[in-house]
Amino acid sequence: MHMNAYVCAHSSPPDAILRELAHETAEWYPGEVSLPIAPEQGTFMTILTRLIGARSAIEIGTFTGYSSICLARKYWDRAGLGGKIELRLGPALDTVRALPGTPQFDLAFIDADKTGYLAYWNEVVPRVRPGGAILVDNTFSHGRVLDAGNESELVQAVRDFNDHAAADDRVEVIMLPLGDGLTLARKK
Ligand SMILES: C[S@@+](CC[C@H](N)C(=O)[O-])C[C@H]1O[C@@H](n2cnc3c(N)ncnc32)[C@H](O)[C@@H]1O
């Protein structure tokens, strides 16, 4: 058995709505099935959200909404959003910059275009309250961060981001080997 299958088999599974959403997403976007976060990442995010008692969260990079549900535990369409999720479509950097610069979020999740990670990070960190959490997906870039021969813009951007986050005095950081690498930071 592959270690990842073992991890999933010993972790709380996604609920029926998430399974249905993952299934439909795979049908709609057959070539992009890895865009939603991995199920075990979703379970981790749900537990983390509950552990820190997060009331407000920002997600940068939403796709079909899998991780949004893990953060908010709301059924996007089925519950009519219930006023809990506000979707803002548009270039994410503009969207975040339009928000007040004050600490207002308990949790942030960055999962949009990888070349923008550093810029998103620098906009998001001041907007997360002390003690709040910041999650960043795909920080392994499918293992390519270790491939010295890979000098693509995307991979270099992820490497630069990882170096920056690890050295950022405003946060404590741990890279978790969940999915394609999930970086967890706690704002000091
Ligand atoms: C990896 S997917 C997000 C997956 C999502 N977190 C989930 O679990 O289902 C990345 C998303 O970011 C969006 N995106 C990419 N670049 C963006 C940008 N500059 N501004 C806003 N959204 C962007 C893409 O359209 C896509 O929906």
Side-chain angles (χ1 to χ4, degrees), residues 34-37 59-68 90-93 109 111-114 120 137-138:
S34 65
L35 280 181
I37 56 166
E59 174 178 75
I60 299 173
T62 298
F63 194 41
T64 58
Y66 192 101
S67 49
S68 313
L93 203 53
F109 177 44
D111 191 21
D113 52 312
K114 313 309 162 196
Y120 297 138
D137 196 19
N138 304 110

PDB file of all heavy atoms in Angstrom, residues 34-37 59-68 90-93 109 111-114 120 137-138, ligand 1:
ATOM      1  N   SER A  34      -6.077  17.536 -10.362  1.00  0.00           N
ATOM      2  CA  SER A  34      -5.264  17.800  -9.176  1.00  0.00           C
ATOM      3  C   SER A  34      -5.410  19.244  -8.697  1.00  0.00           C
ATOM      4  O   SER A  34      -4.764  19.633  -7.737  1.00  0.00           O
ATOM      5  CB  SER A  34      -3.794  17.493  -9.453  1.00  0.00           C
ATOM      6  OG  SER A  34      -3.306  18.384 -10.437  1.00  0.00           O
ATOM      7  N   LEU A  35      -6.251  20.027  -9.360  1.00  0.00           N
ATOM      8  CA  LEU A  35      -6.381  21.422  -8.926  1.00  0.00           C
ATOM      9  C   LEU A  35      -6.989  21.567  -7.526  1.00  0.00           C
ATOM     10  O   LEU A  35      -6.509  22.365  -6.731  1.00  0.00           O
ATOM     11  CB  LEU A  35      -7.186  22.239  -9.946  1.00  0.00           C
ATOM     12  CG  LEU A  35      -6.397  22.695 -11.179  1.00  0.00           C
ATOM     13  CD1 LEU A  35      -7.287  23.523 -12.096  1.00  0.00           C
ATOM     14  CD2 LEU A  35      -5.165  23.488 -10.789  1.00  0.00           C
ATOM     15  N   PRO A  36      -8.059  20.836  -7.219  1.00  0.00           N
ATOM     16  CA  PRO A  36      -8.544  20.929  -5.836  1.00  0.00           C
ATOM     17  C   PRO A  36      -7.499  20.362  -4.875  1.00  0.00           C
ATOM     18  O   PRO A  36      -6.709  19.495  -5.259  1.00  0.00           O
ATOM     19  CB  PRO A  36      -9.807  20.048  -5.829  1.00  0.00           C
ATOM     20  CG  PRO A  36     -10.186  19.877  -7.257  1.00  0.00           C
ATOM     21  CD  PRO A  36      -8.911  19.951  -8.031  1.00  0.00           C
ATOM     22  N   ILE A  37      -7.527  20.827  -3.656  1.00  0.00           N
ATOM     23  CA  ILE A  37      -6.614  20.267  -2.656  1.00  0.00           C
ATOM     24  C   ILE A  37      -6.884  18.771  -2.492  1.00  0.00           C
ATOM     25  O   ILE A  37      -7.970  18.282  -2.791  1.00  0.00           O
ATOM     26  CB  ILE A  37      -6.765  20.983  -1.299  1.00  0.00           C
ATOM     27  CG1 ILE A  37      -8.220  20.933  -0.813  1.00  0.00           C
ATOM     28  CG2 ILE A  37      -6.250  22.403  -1.381  1.00  0.00           C
ATOM     29  CD1 ILE A  37      -8.375  21.311   0.635  1.00  0.00           C
ATOM     30  N   GLU A  59      -9.448  32.978   1.268  1.00  0.00           N
ATOM     31  CA  GLU A  59      -8.846  31.998   0.370  1.00  0.00           C
ATOM     32  C   GLU A  59      -8.476  32.701  -0.923  1.00  0.00           C
ATOM     33  O   GLU A  59      -9.310  33.401  -1.499  1.00  0.00           O
ATOM     34  CB  GLU A  59      -9.828  30.861   0.084  1.00  0.00           C
ATOM     35  CG  GLU A  59      -9.306  29.895  -0.971  1.00  0.00           C
ATOM     36  CD  GLU A  59     -10.268  28.744  -1.221  1.00  0.00           C
ATOM     37  OE1 GLU A  59     -11.303  28.967  -1.877  1.00  0.00           O
ATOM     38  OE2 GLU A  59      -9.993  27.644  -0.741  1.00  0.00           O
ATOM     39  N   ILE A  60      -7.251  32.490  -1.372  1.00  0.00           N
ATOM     40  CA  ILE A  60      -6.806  33.062  -2.638  1.00  0.00           C
ATOM     41  C   ILE A  60      -6.605  31.901  -3.603  1.00  0.00           C
ATOM     42  O   ILE A  60      -5.653  31.126  -3.460  1.00  0.00           O
ATOM     43  CB  ILE A  60      -5.510  33.873  -2.434  1.00  0.00           C
ATOM     44  CG1 ILE A  60      -5.770  35.020  -1.465  1.00  0.00           C
ATOM     45  CG2 ILE A  60      -4.986  34.385  -3.773  1.00  0.00           C
ATOM     46  CD1 ILE A  60      -4.544  35.781  -1.071  1.00  0.00           C
ATOM     47  N   GLY A  61      -7.513  31.740  -4.559  1.00  0.00           N
ATOM     48  CA  GLY A  61      -7.470  30.603  -5.485  1.00  0.00           C
ATOM     49  C   GLY A  61      -8.527  29.590  -5.106  1.00  0.00           C
ATOM     50  O   GLY A  61      -8.314  28.706  -4.275  1.00  0.00           O
ATOM     51  N   THR A  62      -9.707  29.709  -5.705  1.00  0.00           N
ATOM     52  CA  THR A  62     -10.866  28.956  -5.222  1.00  0.00           C
ATOM     53  C   THR A  62     -11.258  27.792  -6.119  1.00  0.00           C
ATOM     54  O   THR A  62     -11.720  26.773  -5.624  1.00  0.00           O
ATOM     55  CB  THR A  62     -12.071  29.921  -5.057  1.00  0.00           C
ATOM     56  OG1 THR A  62     -11.715  30.891  -4.071  1.00  0.00           O
ATOM     57  CG2 THR A  62     -13.321  29.187  -4.604  1.00  0.00           C
ATOM     58  N   PHE A  63     -11.073  27.924  -7.420  1.00  0.00           N
ATOM     59  CA  PHE A  63     -11.462  26.886  -8.387  1.00  0.00           C
ATOM     60  C   PHE A  63     -12.925  26.513  -8.149  1.00  0.00           C
ATOM     61  O   PHE A  63     -13.786  27.382  -8.141  1.00  0.00           O
ATOM     62  CB  PHE A  63     -10.519  25.680  -8.288  1.00  0.00           C
ATOM     63  CG  PHE A  63     -10.635  24.727  -9.447  1.00  0.00           C
ATOM     64  CD1 PHE A  63     -10.777  25.199 -10.747  1.00  0.00           C
ATOM     65  CD2 PHE A  63     -10.598  23.359  -9.253  1.00  0.00           C
ATOM     66  CE1 PHE A  63     -10.872  24.322 -11.829  1.00  0.00           C
ATOM     67  CE2 PHE A  63     -10.698  22.469 -10.315  1.00  0.00           C
ATOM     68  CZ  PHE A  63     -10.841  22.955 -11.598  1.00  0.00           C
ATOM     69  N   THR A  64     -13.235  25.223  -7.912  1.00  0.00           N
ATOM     70  CA  THR A  64     -14.646  24.853  -7.747  1.00  0.00           C
ATOM     71  C   THR A  64     -15.088  24.826  -6.285  1.00  0.00           C
ATOM     72  O   THR A  64     -16.205  24.430  -5.988  1.00  0.00           O
ATOM     73  CB  THR A  64     -14.952  23.486  -8.399  1.00  0.00           C
ATOM     74  OG1 THR A  64     -14.110  22.502  -7.800  1.00  0.00           O
ATOM     75  CG2 THR A  64     -14.715  23.528  -9.901  1.00  0.00           C
ATOM     76  N   GLY A  65     -14.201  25.209  -5.377  1.00  0.00           N
ATOM     77  CA  GLY A  65     -14.658  25.448  -4.008  1.00  0.00           C
ATOM     78  C   GLY A  65     -14.393  24.366  -2.987  1.00  0.00           C
ATOM     79  O   GLY A  65     -14.884  24.441  -1.868  1.00  0.00           O
ATOM     80  N   TYR A  66     -13.565  23.346  -3.347  1.00  0.00           N
ATOM     81  CA  TYR A  66     -13.326  22.247  -2.396  1.00  0.00           C
ATOM     82  C   TYR A  66     -12.739  22.781  -1.078  1.00  0.00           C
ATOM     83  O   TYR A  66     -13.299  22.553   0.000  1.00  0.00           O
ATOM     84  CB  TYR A  66     -12.386  21.215  -3.023  1.00  0.00           C
ATOM     85  CG  TYR A  66     -12.289  19.908  -2.261  1.00  0.00           C
ATOM     86  CD1 TYR A  66     -12.979  18.778  -2.687  1.00  0.00           C
ATOM     87  CD2 TYR A  66     -11.508  19.796  -1.119  1.00  0.00           C
ATOM     88  CE1 TYR A  66     -12.892  17.583  -1.991  1.00  0.00           C
ATOM     89  CE2 TYR A  66     -11.418  18.615  -0.411  1.00  0.00           C
ATOM     90  CZ  TYR A  66     -12.107  17.507  -0.847  1.00  0.00           C
ATOM     91  OH  TYR A  66     -12.016  16.334  -0.152  1.00  0.00           O
ATOM     92  N   SER A  67     -11.625  23.513  -1.184  1.00  0.00           N
ATOM     93  CA  SER A  67     -10.981  23.966   0.050  1.00  0.00           C
ATOM     94  C   SER A  67     -11.814  25.001   0.783  1.00  0.00           C
ATOM     95  O   SER A  67     -11.736  25.109   2.008  1.00  0.00           O
ATOM     96  CB  SER A  67      -9.581  24.502  -0.249  1.00  0.00           C
ATOM     97  OG  SER A  67      -9.616  25.407  -1.327  1.00  0.00           O
ATOM     98  N   SER A  68     -12.642  25.748   0.069  1.00  0.00           N
ATOM     99  CA  SER A  68     -13.512  26.732   0.739  1.00  0.00           C
ATOM    100  C   SER A  68     -14.450  26.028   1.704  1.00  0.00           C
ATOM    101  O   SER A  68     -14.715  26.513   2.804  1.00  0.00           O
ATOM    102  CB  SER A  68     -14.361  27.494  -0.264  1.00  0.00           C
ATOM    103  OG  SER A  68     -13.592  27.938  -1.324  1.00  0.00           O
ATOM    104  N   GLY A  90     -11.743  37.889  -9.781  1.00  0.00           N
ATOM    105  CA  GLY A  90     -10.868  38.916 -10.338  1.00  0.00           C
ATOM    106  C   GLY A  90      -9.435  38.617  -9.959  1.00  0.00           C
ATOM    107  O   GLY A  90      -9.173  37.653  -9.229  1.00  0.00           O
ATOM    108  N   PRO A  91      -8.524  39.431 -10.469  1.00  0.00           N
ATOM    109  CA  PRO A  91      -7.118  39.225 -10.119  1.00  0.00           C
ATOM    110  C   PRO A  91      -6.948  39.296  -8.599  1.00  0.00           C
ATOM    111  O   PRO A  91      -7.302  40.306  -7.974  1.00  0.00           O
ATOM    112  CB  PRO A  91      -6.401  40.377 -10.821  1.00  0.00           C
ATOM    113  CG  PRO A  91      -7.333  40.784 -11.924  1.00  0.00           C
ATOM    114  CD  PRO A  91      -8.714  40.539 -11.395  1.00  0.00           C
ATOM    115  N   ALA A  92      -6.418  38.215  -8.019  1.00  0.00           N
ATOM    116  CA  ALA A  92      -6.427  38.083  -6.562  1.00  0.00           C
ATOM    117  C   ALA A  92      -5.640  39.191  -5.863  1.00  0.00           C
ATOM    118  O   ALA A  92      -6.015  39.636  -4.777  1.00  0.00           O
ATOM    119  CB  ALA A  92      -5.879  36.714  -6.173  1.00  0.00           C
ATOM    120  N   LEU A  93      -4.553  39.633  -6.510  1.00  0.00           N
ATOM    121  CA  LEU A  93      -3.732  40.652  -5.841  1.00  0.00           C
ATOM    122  C   LEU A  93      -4.527  41.945  -5.656  1.00  0.00           C
ATOM    123  O   LEU A  93      -4.482  42.575  -4.595  1.00  0.00           O
ATOM    124  CB  LEU A  93      -2.461  40.904  -6.658  1.00  0.00           C
ATOM    125  CG  LEU A  93      -1.274  41.490  -5.903  1.00  0.00           C
ATOM    126  CD1 LEU A  93      -0.934  40.683  -4.657  1.00  0.00           C
ATOM    127  CD2 LEU A  93      -0.062  41.583  -6.814  1.00  0.00           C
ATOM    128  N   PHE A 109      -5.602  31.107   3.236  1.00  0.00           N
ATOM    129  CA  PHE A 109      -5.149  29.980   2.416  1.00  0.00           C
ATOM    130  C   PHE A 109      -4.777  30.508   1.043  1.00  0.00           C
ATOM    131  O   PHE A 109      -5.611  31.101   0.349  1.00  0.00           O
ATOM    132  CB  PHE A 109      -6.256  28.926   2.302  1.00  0.00           C
ATOM    133  CG  PHE A 109      -5.893  27.753   1.421  1.00  0.00           C
ATOM    134  CD1 PHE A 109      -4.645  27.155   1.503  1.00  0.00           C
ATOM    135  CD2 PHE A 109      -6.814  27.239   0.516  1.00  0.00           C
ATOM    136  CE1 PHE A 109      -4.311  26.070   0.701  1.00  0.00           C
ATOM    137  CE2 PHE A 109      -6.492  26.155  -0.289  1.00  0.00           C
ATOM    138  CZ  PHE A 109      -5.237  25.573  -0.200  1.00  0.00           C
ATOM    139  N   ASP A 111      -3.633  29.599  -2.698  1.00  0.00           N
ATOM    140  CA  ASP A 111      -3.623  28.462  -3.637  1.00  0.00           C
ATOM    141  C   ASP A 111      -3.940  28.922  -5.060  1.00  0.00           C
ATOM    142  O   ASP A 111      -4.563  28.211  -5.824  1.00  0.00           O
ATOM    143  CB  ASP A 111      -4.647  27.404  -3.178  1.00  0.00           C
ATOM    144  CG  ASP A 111      -4.509  26.084  -3.938  1.00  0.00           C
ATOM    145  OD1 ASP A 111      -3.435  25.838  -4.511  1.00  0.00           O
ATOM    146  OD2 ASP A 111      -5.475  25.308  -3.955  1.00  0.00           O
ATOM    147  N   ALA A 112      -3.528  30.146  -5.419  1.00  0.00           N
ATOM    148  CA  ALA A 112      -3.764  30.633  -6.786  1.00  0.00           C
ATOM    149  C   ALA A 112      -2.482  30.435  -7.603  1.00  0.00           C
ATOM    150  O   ALA A 112      -1.741  29.477  -7.373  1.00  0.00           O
ATOM    151  CB  ALA A 112      -4.214  32.089  -6.758  1.00  0.00           C
ATOM    152  N   ASP A 113      -2.238  31.301  -8.583  1.00  0.00           N
ATOM    153  CA  ASP A 113      -1.058  31.159  -9.445  1.00  0.00           C
ATOM    154  C   ASP A 113       0.229  31.238  -8.619  1.00  0.00           C
ATOM    155  O   ASP A 113       0.400  32.137  -7.791  1.00  0.00           O
ATOM    156  CB  ASP A 113      -1.075  32.228 -10.533  1.00  0.00           C
ATOM    157  CG  ASP A 113      -1.267  33.623  -9.967  1.00  0.00           C
ATOM    158  OD1 ASP A 113      -2.173  33.811  -9.134  1.00  0.00           O
ATOM    159  OD2 ASP A 113      -0.484  34.517 -10.329  1.00  0.00           O
ATOM    160  N   LYS A 114       1.110  30.287  -8.886  1.00  0.00           N
ATOM    161  CA  LYS A 114       2.287  30.122  -8.030  1.00  0.00           C
ATOM    162  C   LYS A 114       3.282  31.278  -8.162  1.00  0.00           C
ATOM    163  O   LYS A 114       3.990  31.601  -7.202  1.00  0.00           O
ATOM    164  CB  LYS A 114       2.991  28.790  -8.318  1.00  0.00           C
ATOM    165  CG  LYS A 114       2.059  27.588  -8.402  1.00  0.00           C
ATOM    166  CD  LYS A 114       1.116  27.456  -7.218  1.00  0.00           C
ATOM    167  CE  LYS A 114      -0.057  26.545  -7.504  1.00  0.00           C
ATOM    168  NZ  LYS A 114      -1.179  26.681  -6.545  1.00  0.00           N
ATOM    169  N   TYR A 120       1.212  37.559  -2.797  1.00  0.00           N
ATOM    170  CA  TYR A 120       0.030  37.255  -1.977  1.00  0.00           C
ATOM    171  C   TYR A 120       0.422  37.191  -0.500  1.00  0.00           C
ATOM    172  O   TYR A 120      -0.259  37.722   0.366  1.00  0.00           O
ATOM    173  CB  TYR A 120      -0.604  35.913  -2.387  1.00  0.00           C
ATOM    174  CG  TYR A 120      -1.130  35.891  -3.798  1.00  0.00           C
ATOM    175  CD1 TYR A 120      -0.943  34.796  -4.629  1.00  0.00           C
ATOM    176  CD2 TYR A 120      -1.825  36.982  -4.310  1.00  0.00           C
ATOM    177  CE1 TYR A 120      -1.426  34.770  -5.924  1.00  0.00           C
ATOM    178  CE2 TYR A 120      -2.313  36.971  -5.616  1.00  0.00           C
ATOM    179  CZ  TYR A 120      -2.103  35.858  -6.410  1.00  0.00           C
ATOM    180  OH  TYR A 120      -2.586  35.847  -7.694  1.00  0.00           O
ATOM    181  N   ASP A 137      -0.497  26.140  -0.452  1.00  0.00           N
ATOM    182  CA  ASP A 137      -0.472  24.818  -1.086  1.00  0.00           C
ATOM    183  C   ASP A 137       0.593  24.734  -2.186  1.00  0.00           C
ATOM    184  O   ASP A 137       1.075  25.750  -2.684  1.00  0.00           O
ATOM    185  CB  ASP A 137      -1.852  24.496  -1.680  1.00  0.00           C
ATOM    186  CG  ASP A 137      -2.003  23.007  -1.988  1.00  0.00           C
ATOM    187  OD1 ASP A 137      -1.231  22.196  -1.425  1.00  0.00           O
ATOM    188  OD2 ASP A 137      -2.895  22.642  -2.775  1.00  0.00           O
ATOM    189  N   ASN A 138       0.944  23.516  -2.518  1.00  0.00           N
ATOM    190  CA  ASN A 138       1.868  23.190  -3.624  1.00  0.00           C
ATOM    191  C   ASN A 138       3.277  23.733  -3.406  1.00  0.00           C
ATOM    192  O   ASN A 138       3.954  24.109  -4.363  1.00  0.00           O
ATOM    193  CB  ASN A 138       1.326  23.723  -4.961  1.00  0.00           C
ATOM    194  CG  ASN A 138      -0.066  23.226  -5.271  1.00  0.00           C
ATOM    195  OD1 ASN A 138      -1.017  24.005  -5.232  1.00  0.00           O
ATOM    196  ND2 ASN A 138      -0.219  21.951  -5.545  1.00  0.00           N
TER     197      ASN A 138
HETATM  198  C1  LIG B   1      -5.202  25.256  -7.675  1.00  0.00           C
HETATM  199  S1  LIG B   1      -6.702  26.070  -8.062  1.00  0.00           S
HETATM  200  C2  LIG B   1      -7.449  26.270  -6.487  1.00  0.00           C
HETATM  201  C3  LIG B   1      -8.052  25.016  -5.953  1.00  0.00           C
HETATM  202  C4  LIG B   1      -8.936  25.217  -4.742  1.00  0.00           C
HETATM  203  N1  LIG B   1      -8.215  25.785  -3.636  1.00  0.00           N
HETATM  204  C5  LIG B   1      -9.590  23.901  -4.370  1.00  0.00           C
HETATM  205  O1  LIG B   1      -9.183  23.272  -3.388  1.00  0.00           O
HETATM  206  O2  LIG B   1     -10.505  23.487  -5.095  1.00  0.00           O
HETATM  207  C6  LIG B   1      -6.166  27.707  -8.444  1.00  0.00           C
HETATM  208  C7  LIG B   1      -7.261  28.707  -8.684  1.00  0.00           C
HETATM  209  O3  LIG B   1      -6.681  30.002  -8.668  1.00  0.00           O
HETATM  210  C8  LIG B   1      -7.238  30.764  -9.707  1.00  0.00           C
HETATM  211  N2  LIG B   1      -6.269  31.820 -10.069  1.00  0.00           N
HETATM  212  C9  LIG B   1      -5.099  31.661 -10.722  1.00  0.00           C
HETATM  213  N3  LIG B   1      -4.487  32.853 -10.842  1.00  0.00           N
HETATM  214  C10 LIG B   1      -5.285  33.776 -10.257  1.00  0.00           C
HETATM  215  C11 LIG B   1      -5.207  35.182 -10.074  1.00  0.00           C
HETATM  216  N4  LIG B   1      -4.147  35.898 -10.501  1.00  0.00           N
HETATM  217  N5  LIG B   1      -6.212  35.794  -9.425  1.00  0.00           N
HETATM  218  C12 LIG B   1      -7.265  35.087  -8.963  1.00  0.00           C
HETATM  219  N6  LIG B   1      -7.400  33.766  -9.104  1.00  0.00           N
HETATM  220  C13 LIG B   1      -6.416  33.112  -9.748  1.00  0.00           C
HETATM  221  C14 LIG B   1      -7.510  29.754 -10.814  1.00  0.00           C
HETATM  222  O4  LIG B   1      -8.492  30.240 -11.707  1.00  0.00           O
HETATM  223  C15 LIG B   1      -7.997  28.556 -10.003  1.00  0.00           C
HETATM  224  O5  LIG B   1      -9.383  28.649  -9.785  1.00  0.00           O
END
